[in-house]
Amino acid sequence: MAVEGMVAVGAGLAVGLAGIGAGLGEQGIGAAAVGAMAEDPGFFGRGLLMTVIPETIVIFGLVVAFLLMFM
Amino acid sequence: MLEPVRMVKVSVVGPKEYLEVTSNALYRLSSMHIEDYSEEDEYFRIGEPLEKASRLSKFLVTVRSLLSHAGIKDGYEPERTFSVSELDRELDKKVGELEELITSRINRIRAIEEGLRKIADERRVIYPLKALGVPSELLAGYRNLSVFVGFVRANPFEKLIEVTKELEVFTADYAGEMVVAVFVRKDHADDVLKVLQEFAFREIQVPEISVSYDERLKQLEEEERSLRNELEKLNDELKRYEGENLDLLLALEEHLSIELEKCELPLKAATSKYAFVLVGYVPEERFGEFERHLKEVSGGKVVALKISDSRWDPPTAMKNPGFAKPFELLTTSYAVPKYGEVDPTLIMAVLFPIFFGFMLGDIGYGLVILGLGLWLSTKFKTEGWQALLKVLKYSAISTIVFGFVYGEFFGFELFGEESLFAKFLGHESEIARYFAELHPVANRLHDAPKLLVLTIAIGVLHMALAYVIGIRNVAKEHGWKHAVEEKFNWLMALISIALIITGFIINNIAGVPVFQMNAAYLLAMPFIAGWAILTIIGEGPMFLIEYLTLLSNTISYARLLAVGLASVGFAIAFNYMAFEMLWPSGPVGIVVAIVVFLIGHVINILLGILDPGLQSLRLHYVEFFVKFFEGGGKLYSPFGRRRKYTKED
């Protein structure tokens, strides 16, 4: 396989796997946050905050993909 | 701005007879956040509500029950407002009158609904009996016979004759079940019932009717029709009455709740045999007026004093310019700032739309969202919705501006050789040539690496601002030493990270190995050392691990670019499918192309509101607020409220 092809596959893996990781992280937190919000709607802000924290992982994957594709 | 309104703690003291006057005055001023008095002792007790409270609350219950029947829409605007004196004068008469007019009808409506339910019940019984074909007068009223009428799972005849041969069984199928009537001598009744129960017997209550089933059904139908007519008439009348009196009802409700609140003020006061004391907070700038007004209305008998108390726990009244007001909603849904803290609403009001626009950045999408925001704000009038929609509108405007920066219109390029006009009008047309010569400030797809660096830079500046505010907050609360050890050290860490990333970029451009030493790396060293020393002194060595968190925070700002690229990617894909693949394939293709284009962009716009909104919020909540914002304050809610349906004379 040509180098470009390998790079593209690598970039795809970086984003895809990071996405799966973030999803796994968020599922538990999200469920708990919704539960807490049902008890007390005032929890919305902090619930949202906690839920999106693992999302940074995807951004890492994305940055890696960027570096691979553009640099 | 940036800081909540300054408060002073006050106590209002006066003779008990002046409690009502004071209550009215405080309500009118609407500036005192009253603290509940809770520690009773030998001399002071919690006061008792004024005498008229019970009468008022009785009226209020009536008015509210009438209103609950009227079902008012959100954001209802009254046609006229009533003056307080007018309402006071007519209170007894009006409430009585309305109660009679409306309650009598509501009661009649309930009775009719009950009647309709009975008719439906009877009908449910008659249909199976009609299927059975035995007249109802034959189904009851025997001296020596028992009759069982009901539903069973299957024909019980075979089993029944095992009990006794002297019986008569009628069966019929009705709606997938079997209806049965069993006539049997009284002395066998118990045994027969046992057998029937094996067949899951459900009894039917046979109604007493003297006419045939068909005739009875006709009667019921007529009865129902007349009841329904009456119901409709009553409902119309009720709606008319309520429509005519809705403003009055709303005004009464408001007036009564206000009066009741005033009557219940003593519950917050400490009262002795002859005097009362109220303690609370008043904005500093309004204290002069507050003091003067109380003196005036009480002839100097009630005094307001500034007090300095060890229990200094003032409420937070956020103070922001008009355009930033809607963003208070976003701040408070994270937390209410403490009194001494910086209120980040204004910063958020400026940066939230910018981040949103930076991510979405499309003229077409911006226009659609702006239109949507304008339309929805005529539909949803509640305060929360209005605030949220204002945030959306600001964000839409920012999206349009960034759309010009990126030169994007529904995913098409607006400027350059491949512009929208070149695509549809041909490269030869005047307009296409004109636009081809213009170039966007930044093309997101081609300049992605540069924009990536820009987002990181934005992130570093954003977080640096957060640390600066953090230094101010900690310095104010715990002194400069703590501020340097807990916040300034992280500012140094942030600078070192910025320098390391710069060094990385320099090496990358120069084409040398990434970790080869350069000036930026070298410059970062003293900052890292300074950070490490301060952190170990201030927060302990464990906090050194947090350096990585800060790194991830910095990279997190790459989402400013990433979310936008995803959205452009979608848009380009839909445009490609619609106009390159489907459009050229004939008339059917054109129709499908339009459908694909519309559906695709509707989905993309919905995602485009949700995702940049959430991400921009996240950058503020997670990356920004965490560095300085503690929250946990209580919102300032002064005694008194704005009148909507009533006015004071």
Side-chain angles (χ1 to χ4, degrees), chain A residues 45 49 52 55-56 60 62 66, chain B residues 333-334 552 562 565 615 618:
Chain A
L49 189 158
V52 294
E55 228 172 50
T56 310
F60 288 162
L62 218 102
F66 255 114
Chain B
S333 72
Y334 179 85
S552 88
L565 281 183
Q615 300 297 346
R618 177 222 148 94

Side-chain angles (χ1 to χ4, degrees), chain A residues 42 44-46 48-49 52-56 59-60 62-63 66-67 70-71, chain B residues 333-334 448-449 508 552 555-556 558-559 561-562 565 614-615 617-618 621-622:
Chain A
F44 173 75
R46 250 163 290 168
L48 181 73
L49 189 158
V52 294
I53 281 176
E55 228 172 50
T56 310
I59 304 294
F60 288 162
L62 218 102
V63 170
F66 255 114
L67 296 179
F70 288 104
M71 293 188 174
Chain B
S333 72
Y334 179 85
N508 210 306
S552 88
I555 296 174
S556 184
R559 75 185 65 229
L561 176 67
L565 281 183
L614 271 181
Q615 300 297 346
L617 206 58
R618 177 222 148 94
Y621 281 179
V622 183

Side-chain angles (χ1 to χ4, degrees), chain B residues 242-266:
Chain B
E242 279 164 354
E244 279 164 12
N245 292 303
L246 190 57
D247 286 345
L248 178 63
L249 278 173
L250 286 168
L252 276 175
E253 199 269 346
E254 185 173 273
H255 178 59
L256 287 168
S257 0
I258 287 174
E259 288 303 313
L260 198 60
E261 258 175 65
K262 284 186 196 167
C263 288
E264 284 170 352
L265 179 70

Side-chain angles (χ1 to χ4, degrees), chain B residues 190-496:
Chain B
D190 289 344
D191 298 327
V192 164
L193 183 60
K194 259 180 220 150
V195 173
L196 282 173
Q197 272 163 353
E198 285 171 32
F199 288 84
F201 178 68
R202 273 188 298 126
E203 196 183 355
I204 296 174
Q205 289 292 338
V206 179
E208 276 179 41
I209 46 177
S210 50
V211 290
S212 76
Y213 291 128
D214 281 325
E215 227 159 293
R216 180 64 188 156
L217 281 174
K218 216 177 275 167
Q219 281 175 2
L220 286 178
E221 205 171 296
E222 242 157 65
E223 240 172 84
E224 190 187 357
R225 199 179 308 132
S226 84
L227 282 180
R228 281 204 189 283
N229 281 342
E230 195 185 344
L231 185 67
E232 205 172 299
K233 213 178 91 215
L234 281 172
N235 268 331
D236 282 349
E237 273 174 14
L238 206 53
K239 226 171 241 152
R240 213 179 55 234
Y241 278 125
E242 279 164 354
E244 279 164 12
N245 292 303
L246 190 57
D247 286 345
L248 178 63
L249 278 173
L250 286 168
L252 276 175
E253 199 269 346
E254 185 173 273
H255 178 59
L256 287 168
S257 0
I258 287 174
E259 288 303 313
L260 198 60
E261 258 175 65
K262 284 186 196 167
C263 288
E264 284 170 352
L265 179 70
L267 291 172
K268 291 167 178 282
T271 55
S272 69
K273 206 167 175 190
Y274 302 110
F276 74 88
V277 184
L278 280 163
V279 176
Y281 297 87
V282 173
E284 197 174 32
E285 56 190 24
R286 295 190 61 185
F287 181 74
E289 176 203 358
F290 182 78
E291 194 185 21
R292 221 175 316 117
H293 187 75
L294 277 180
K295 204 184 241 172
E296 257 167 46
V297 293
S298 67
K301 293 275 176 28
V302 177
V303 238
L305 296 168
K306 279 189 202 180
I307 51 173
S308 51
D309 192 337
S310 56
R311 279 174 299 178
W312 167 250
D313 181 23
T316 311
M318 296 206 261
K319 188 170 69 178
N320 287 298
F323 83 93
K325 276 264 170 229
F327 290 86
E328 284 177 3
L329 183 78
L330 300 183
T331 307
T332 49
S333 72
Y334 179 85
V336 176
K338 276 191 298 192
Y339 176 71
E341 265 186 320
V342 166
D343 167 16
T345 306
L346 186 67
I347 301 169
M348 203 159 166
V350 176
L351 292 183
F352 182 92
I354 292 182
F355 282 4
F356 188 100
F358 196 103
M359 284 189 250
L360 194 54
D362 187 299
I363 300 170
Y365 286 3
L367 288 172
V368 172
I369 295 174
L370 186 62
L372 196 69
L374 288 171
W375 179 65
L376 286 178
S377 56
T378 63
K379 297 273 158 200
F380 297 96
K381 299 265 181 165
T382 55
E383 220 172 299
W385 271 108
Q386 286 292 324
L388 210 60
L389 289 168
K390 266 195 195 134
V391 171
L392 188 69
K393 282 183 268 182
Y394 292 146
S395 304
I397 291 168
S398 156
T399 304
I400 296 172
V401 173
F402 275 96
F404 276 105
V405 173
Y406 300 143
E408 278 175 32
F409 187 84
F410 284 110
F412 292 108
E413 287 177 28
L414 197 57
F415 313 121
E417 292 297 326
E418 290 298 308
S419 79
L420 184 63
F421 301 99
K423 234 173 221 166
F424 289 102
L425 300 174
H427 285 273
E428 298 312 307
S429 84
E430 275 294 314
I431 310 172
R433 253 186 290 168
Y434 174 72
F435 272 90
E437 279 164 28
L438 298 170
H439 278 282
V441 182
N443 183 312
R444 275 200 274 194
L445 293 174
H446 299 153
D447 300 330
K450 281 180 210 153
L451 284 171
L452 186 67
V453 175
L454 179 64
T455 60
I456 302 290
I458 291 172
V460 169
L461 290 177
H462 197 216
M463 289 193 293
L465 178 63
Y467 281 127
V468 171
I469 299 172
I471 290 170
R472 180 244 169 240
N473 276 351
V474 177
K476 191 167 179 197
E477 204 166 341
H478 305 288
W480 280 100
K481 185 170 168 290
H482 283 275
V484 170
E485 283 170 2
E486 284 167 26
K487 297 293 174 193
F488 182 71
N489 59 339
W490 290 108
L491 189 57
M492 291 175 89
L494 185 65
I495 294 170
S496 75

Side-chain angles (χ1 to χ4, degrees), chain B residues 449-627:
Chain B
K450 281 180 210 153
L451 284 171
L452 186 67
V453 175
L454 179 64
T455 60
I456 302 290
I458 291 172
V460 169
L461 290 177
H462 197 216
M463 289 193 293
L465 178 63
Y467 281 127
V468 171
I469 299 172
I471 290 170
R472 180 244 169 240
N473 276 351
V474 177
K476 191 167 179 197
E477 204 166 341
H478 305 288
W480 280 100
K481 185 170 168 290
H482 283 275
V484 170
E485 283 170 2
E486 284 167 26
K487 297 293 174 193
F488 182 71
N489 59 339
W490 290 108
L491 189 57
M492 291 175 89
L494 185 65
I495 294 170
S496 75
I497 283 176
L499 285 170
I500 290 170
I501 293 174
T502 313
F504 179 80
I505 295 165
I506 291 173
N507 278 359
N508 210 306
I509 292 170
V512 292
V514 190
F515 290 109
Q516 191 177 314
M517 198 40 86
N518 64 29
Y521 287 156
L522 218 58
L523 213 56
M525 298 287 185
F527 283 102
I528 295 179
W531 157 75
I533 294 165
L534 285 175
T535 306
I536 292 170
I537 296 172
E539 298 177 296
M542 279 307 283
F543 270 92
L544 294 181
I545 301 168
E546 293 277 309
Y547 192 80
L548 288 177
T549 314
L550 195 57
L551 184 68
S552 88
N553 280 175
T554 313
I555 296 174
S556 184
Y557 281 84
R559 75 185 65 229
L560 284 175
L561 176 67
V563 172
L565 281 183
S567 162
V568 184
F570 271 138
I572 291 177
F574 289 129
N575 290 343
Y576 185 80
M577 275 199 287
F579 294 110
E580 311 272 326
M581 289 163 72
L582 292 163
W583 192 277
S585 68
V588 182
I590 289 175
V591 174
V592 181
I594 291 170
V595 172
V596 166
F597 181 80
L598 286 178
I599 292 178
H601 282 286
V602 165
I603 293 173
N604 205 16
I605 286 173
L606 290 180
L607 278 178
I609 296 172
L610 193 70
D611 209 25
L614 271 181
Q615 300 297 346
S616 181
L617 206 58
R618 177 222 148 94
L619 284 178
H620 281 92
Y621 281 179
V622 183
E623 270 79 21
F624 189 59
F625 280 10
V626 175
K627 298 187 168 52

